């Protein structure tokens, strides 16, 4: 009886193909170590890209707003900019406002919420108003601080100058729609 049990167990060892629990645990630990090393470096690159994209996008919004101001006499809200935008007249005496296709609706797509906040490339954008309620600039802040960006930006449409906010906003902690005071921002 003893010989047949020994044959059975040796037969099972030969037929057994697979990984032991120790091997699987070592493999999982190796994957975890690789993820811990690789993920932060890839995320930091994404944060830099998002911040550069937000700054460029603020300048694009400012340019579009200034063209709109020349043509219409006031700044536009995001809905107007995403639907159409006036083009500068070719000649000085040209009074007709020419319109072209949406300026701000290109890839990656711009999504808008009911409260006037638009989302694009890891950042949120909101127009800022002065004490009289007139649009004067635009805020940009990260969707999730440290993951999609670290800085909050403000652009003044009249000066076409970009500022960085001294306060860092994120998802639920958003800047108000008012324009910032000089003590809240510094030139970039």
């Amino acid at each position: 009886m003893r010989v047949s049990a020994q044959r059975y167990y040796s037969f099972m060892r030969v037929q057994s193909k697979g990984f032991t629990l120790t091997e699987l645990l070592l493999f999982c630990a190796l994957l975890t170590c690789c993820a811990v090393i690789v993920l932060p470096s890839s995320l930091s690159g994404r944060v830099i890209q998002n911040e550069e994209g937000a700054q460029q996008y603020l300048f694009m919004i400012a340019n579009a707003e200034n063209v709109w101001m020349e043509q219409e006499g006031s700044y536009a809200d995001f809905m107007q900019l995403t639907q159409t935008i006036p083009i500068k007249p070719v000649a000085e005496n040209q009074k007709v406002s020419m319109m072209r296709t949406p300026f701000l609706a290109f890839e990656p797509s711009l999504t808008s919420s009911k409260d006037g906040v638009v989302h694009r490339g890891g950042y949120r954008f909101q127009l800022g108003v002065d004490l009289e309620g007139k649009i004067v600039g635009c805020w940009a802040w990260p969707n999730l601080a440290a993951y999609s960006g670290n800085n909050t930006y403000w652009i003044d449409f009249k000066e076409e100058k970009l500022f960085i906010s001294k306060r860092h906003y994120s998802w639920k902690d958003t800047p108000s729609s008012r324009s910032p005071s000089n003590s809240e921002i510094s030139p970039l």
Side-chain angles (χ1 to χ4, degrees):
M1 185 91 130
R2 193 175 167 123
V3 174
S4 64
Q6 206 173 19
R7 274 189 201 164
Y8 175 74
Y9 287 117
S10 67
F11 175 75
M12 288 302 289
R13 281 191 205 126
V14 172
Q15 293 295 328
S16 174
K17 293 183 180 178
F19 298 104
T20 65
L21 181 60
T22 307
E23 290 170 332
L24 289 174
L25 288 174
L26 284 172
F27 178 72
C28 289
L30 182 66
L31 282 179
T32 304
C33 289
C34 290
V36 165
I37 293 168
V38 172
L39 274 176
S41 63
S42 66
L43 287 177
S44 68
R46 174 58 105 186
V47 166
I48 292 167
Q49 284 178 337
N50 286 346
E51 288 182 350
E52 289 172 356
Q55 292 173 23
Q56 292 171 358
Y57 201 63
L58 281 171
F59 280 113
M60 289 173 22
I61 291 171
N63 288 335
E65 289 285 5
N66 286 325
V67 171
W68 194 280
M69 174 60 98
E70 284 180 22
Q71 293 288 313
E72 304 296 323
S74 65
Y75 292 118
D77 63 22
F78 282 129
M79 281 305 256
Q80 290 169 312
L81 289 178
T82 56
Q83 292 170 358
T84 186
I85 185 168
I87 297 177
K88 290 181 183 179
V90 178
E92 288 291 326
N93 60 358
Q94 184 180 2
K95 300 286 185 202
V96 179
S97 215
M98 298 171 18
M99 303 295 217
R100 72 173 174 93
T101 56
F103 181 76
L104 298 176
F106 55 86
E107 292 299 321
S109 62
L110 176 80
T111 56
S112 180
S113 61
K114 293 178 185 175
D115 57 357
V117 176
V118 295
H119 309 266
R120 183 171 189 268
Y123 264 75
R124 295 172 184 232
F125 300 85
Q126 182 178 23
L127 296 173
V129 297
D130 61 10
L131 296 174
E132 298 172 3
K134 294 180 182 176
I135 297 171
V136 292
C138 185
W139 284 103
W141 69 96
N143 284 332
L144 292 170
Y147 294 103
S148 61
N150 293 316
N151 297 311
T152 300
Y153 302 102
W154 166 261
I155 192 159
D156 186 291
F157 293 152
K158 190 174 183 181
E159 295 179 30
E160 284 193 46
K161 191 172 182 184
L162 188 64
F163 298 90
I164 190 165
S165 174
K166 293 178 182 172
R167 182 166 175 206
H168 299 286
Y169 295 96
S170 188
W171 183 49
K172 289 186 179 179
D173 180 28
T174 63
S176 65
S177 62
R178 65 168 179 73
S179 60
S181 67
N182 289 338
S183 64
E184 296 175 272
I185 55 175
S186 58
L188 190 61

